[in-house]
Amino acid sequence: QKEVEQNSGPLSVPEGAIASLNCTYSDRGSQSFFWYRQYSGKSPELIMSIYSNGDKEDGRFTAQLNKASQYVSLLIRDSQPSDSATYLCAVNARGGGADGLTFGKGTHLIIQP
Amino acid sequence: SQTIHQWPATLVQPVGSPLSLECTVEGTSNPNLYWYRQAAGRGLQLLFYSVGIGQISSEVPQNLSASRPQDRQFILSSKKLLLSDSGFYLCAWSVAAGNEKLFFGSGTQLSVL
């Protein structure tokens, strides 16, 4: 069974510091990896996608992928109180199929002013 | 640009009553469409997906059904709601190719009492 694991948190980080969020997945054939941000009571919003090993940077966000270790991470630099949310890791575990993404349960991030 | 509309935003229904949630996508043709449910402590669960009009795939056997009467319209239904159907229902779309990111509607918070 496809699984995506995240530490549920809460992860508390002081304002201005780097927040590091981690995710592991079980299906070694997975090809696409995504990070979503979800504020309480709102729908998930896509913030990063990554498809190949290494780092991908977009503004204050960096996604890191290591397929050999089946590990994805998200770094948020210069953390702001507005970054406080639940971050969902998602994986397309069947490589090319239309059957959607498998999501982790999310990590609750709190940025302390 | 593409937009996805989902309604209603909140719904309170008695046990045994019917359900109909609707989702429409604008600005794209032949999208893949998805219904997810997010229950407390369980993460996002894929319920149904569709790659075309009249084509529905179910991921989890349950009290719910889905239909796609038009290219950009996706409907989630139930004849008789159960208490366990409570949750946050999310419609999503992706382009009609594999490994693609999902974009979510604003969600429907359903409470079955």
Side-chain angles (χ1 to χ4, degrees):
Chain A
Q1 184 175 352
K2 300 171 286 185
E3 291 185 350
V4 178
E5 299 289 342
Q6 296 180 255
N7 189 320
S8 62
L11 174 65
S12 185
V13 174
E15 184 176 356
I18 296 175
S20 179
L21 305 165
N22 304 314
C23 170
T24 59
Y25 58 95
S26 63
D27 188 340
R28 190 170 287 277
S30 301
Q31 297 183 7
S32 305
F33 308 87
F34 307 93
W35 284 99
Y36 287 80
R37 177 177 62 198
Q38 187 176 25
Y39 294 112
S40 180
K42 303 296 184 182
S43 62
E45 173 192 12
L46 179 68
I47 56 173
M48 288 290 289
S49 59
I50 188 166
Y51 302 95
S52 56
N53 282 329
D55 295 0
K56 179 181 177 181
E57 185 175 321
D58 184 0
R60 295 187 296 112
F61 298 99
T62 298
Q64 299 174 318
L65 174 61
N66 184 326
K67 290 186 178 180
S69 300
Q70 295 174 240
Y71 179 90
V72 191
S73 66
L74 179 70
L75 302 178
I76 307 175
R77 291 183 299 281
D78 188 22
S79 297
Q80 304 296 312
S82 60
D83 295 325
S84 297
T86 296
Y87 289 80
L88 305 175
C89 176
V91 175
N92 183 321
R94 293 192 187 179
D99 53 338
L101 304 179
T102 300
F103 286 82
K105 293 183 179 180
T107 297
H108 184 203
L109 175 65
I110 299 172
I111 305 301
Q112 294 184 325
Chain B
S1 64
Q2 300 89 0
T3 57
I4 178 169
H5 304 279
Q6 186 181 345
W7 66 94
T10 60
L11 193 58
V12 180
Q13 294 284 99
V15 170
S17 64
L19 172 74
S20 181
L21 302 179
E22 189 166 342
C23 169
T24 59
V25 179
E26 295 178 357
T28 187
S29 296
N30 194 32
N32 292 337
L33 297 173
Y34 305 85
W35 280 110
Y36 280 84
R37 177 171 60 198
Q38 189 173 37
R42 293 197 60 184
L44 277 164
Q45 178 187 30
L46 178 63
L47 302 176
F48 300 95
Y49 68 94
S50 173
V51 300
I53 296 173
Q55 300 178 63
I56 308 295
S57 297
S58 174
E59 287 291 304
V60 182
Q62 59 213 326
N63 185 41
L64 304 170
S65 62
S67 62
R68 185 170 177 174
Q70 301 180 42
D71 180 47
R72 291 170 289 176
Q73 182 185 28
F74 206 23
I75 297 172
L76 182 70
S77 303
S78 174
K79 292 182 179 178
K80 290 185 177 182
L81 284 169
L82 306 173
L83 287 174
S84 57
D85 292 324
S86 294
F88 191 39
Y89 287 81
L90 291 155
C91 182
W93 75 274
S94 71
V95 298
N99 297 329
E100 282 299 329
K101 59 203 75 168
L102 295 182
F103 300 96
F104 286 91
S106 55
T108 296
Q109 185 63 54
L110 172 66
S111 298
V112 182
L113 305 177

